[in-house]
Amino acid sequence: MPYPNYLVKGGPFCEGKIIPGYSLGYFKIREFENNRYILKKFRKLVDEMTEKGYSDLIIDLRENTGGSGNDLNLFFSFFSDKDSLHYLKNAKARVSKITKDYGFDESQYGQVLSLPSEKVFHSFALDSSLFVPNLKVYVLISRTTGSIAASFANICQYNGIGTLVGEQLAPNALKYGEVASGEFLDNPFAFSTIQYDEYTKAKDGIVRPDIPIPYIAREYMKGGDPVLEKLLEYLKDEKLVFFQ
């Protein structure tokens, strides 16, 4: 079975549901692939929330290792009324024949240099027609949230449009870039050709949650989802504090 079909049928890219006991919506994104499909499901959940008068939305990115950044701006358009969001401060590449399209010359081969500013996505535009007023977003993250999923969380925090909850991201979570794929001895492989430098509120290179809820193995041994359960209780009583 093709991998995309497996994700949709066997373990879907995403899962959305209403949690009526807490008057909120929950949307888990397992991988950012087939983003148009995910957006369709996301919009359906937001519409259901709007009909019920719910404003709190949990987006669960735990264990999401990334995927494609296609149409990512449309997700943010639902809960941000800004014209655009800040994304990249800079981007670097090791200059070679492959990077000649960026305007470098042969004398610079082998050096790691910043791309011309006009080649960098410093910000990206939002679609105002998708905006839903009063939507409050909480993004669940873990140490295994990586690549474009880590960027999703970082963009929310830096631009002040979402609250991060859970564990801090791994130290290298934002250390990735443009990926090219190829083949070697009939085996597919991928390698990064550009390193991104995002706008971030990270300290010491680590993105930390606004509401820290640690993963404690012994709590998971009892079954259920203790981190999500604690977030639900926090939203019910914002006086609660969870210590790392």
Side-chain angles (χ1 to χ4, degrees):
M1 178 183 294
Y3 182 59
N5 293 354
Y6 165 76
L7 285 174
V8 172
K9 295 179 181 179
F13 294 109
C14 59
E15 173 192 1
K17 61 183 178 181
I18 295 291
I19 305 181
Y22 294 88
S23 301
L24 54 75
Y26 170 86
F27 194 77
K28 183 175 182 64
I29 304 175
R30 293 183 173 86
E31 186 176 4
F32 280 105
E33 293 294 345
N34 198 349
N35 288 349
R36 284 285 177 174
Y37 169 84
I38 299 174
L39 275 164
K40 182 179 178 181
K41 297 295 184 182
F42 186 73
R43 183 165 197 166
K44 181 180 178 182
L45 176 65
V46 172
D47 287 344
E48 290 178 8
M49 289 176 56
T50 302
E51 291 176 5
K52 294 181 178 295
Y54 297 168
S55 59
D56 288 347
L57 171 62
I58 298 171
I59 299 177
D60 192 345
L61 299 183
R62 292 173 297 171
E63 301 180 5
N64 184 324
T65 55
S68 170
N70 292 345
D71 300 314
L72 211 66
N73 62 311
L74 299 182
F75 287 97
F76 301 118
S77 297
F78 281 92
F79 51 93
S80 175
D81 61 353
K82 299 181 180 181
D83 294 329
S84 62
L85 299 179
H86 295 292
Y87 178 33
L88 295 179
K89 288 190 294 185
N90 191 19
K92 295 181 179 180
R94 182 177 295 278
V95 180
S96 68
K97 292 180 180 179
I98 297 174
T99 59
K100 63 183 179 181
D101 291 343
Y102 295 110
F104 300 118
D105 58 51
E106 292 186 14
S107 66
Q108 297 170 306
Y109 284 3
Q111 300 179 52
V112 177
L113 300 176
S114 296
L115 269 60
S117 183
E118 65 272 15
K119 299 288 187 180
V120 178
F121 286 98
H122 296 289
S123 62
F124 54 86
L126 301 184
D127 184 347
S128 60
S129 68
L130 298 176
F131 178 63
V132 178
N134 303 318
L135 203 59
K136 295 175 61 178
V137 170
Y138 299 85
V139 182
L140 269 173
I141 57 174
S142 68
R143 294 179 186 271
T144 51
T145 302
S147 189
I148 201 66
S151 287
F152 186 104
N154 181 64
I155 289 168
C156 284
Q157 185 181 61
Y158 183 80
N159 290 277
I161 60 173
T163 301
L164 302 192
V165 185
E167 297 181 289
Q168 66 183 35
L169 297 183
N172 62 345
L174 296 179
K175 297 295 184 182
Y176 72 100
E178 182 180 278
V179 173
S181 60
E183 291 187 0
F184 179 70
L185 299 179
D186 297 322
N187 292 316
F189 70 95
F191 58 92
S192 179
T193 60
I194 295 176
Q195 178 182 313
Y196 297 150
D197 182 13
E198 300 186 26
Y199 288 106
T200 182
K201 291 184 177 179
K203 296 179 180 179
D204 302 322
I206 300 175
V207 177
R208 292 175 170 80
D210 304 298
I211 304 173
I213 303 178
Y215 177 102
I216 300 175
R218 66 175 179 272
E219 293 182 349
Y220 274 86
M221 295 296 288
K222 302 174 184 177
D225 186 342
V227 172
L228 175 59
E229 291 163 10
K230 287 180 180 180
L231 173 56
L232 292 174
E233 290 304 315
Y234 172 85
L235 294 177
K236 201 170 185 179
D237 182 1
E238 296 190 5
K239 296 178 182 178
L240 292 175
V241 177
F242 304 105
F243 296 98
Q244 288 185 309

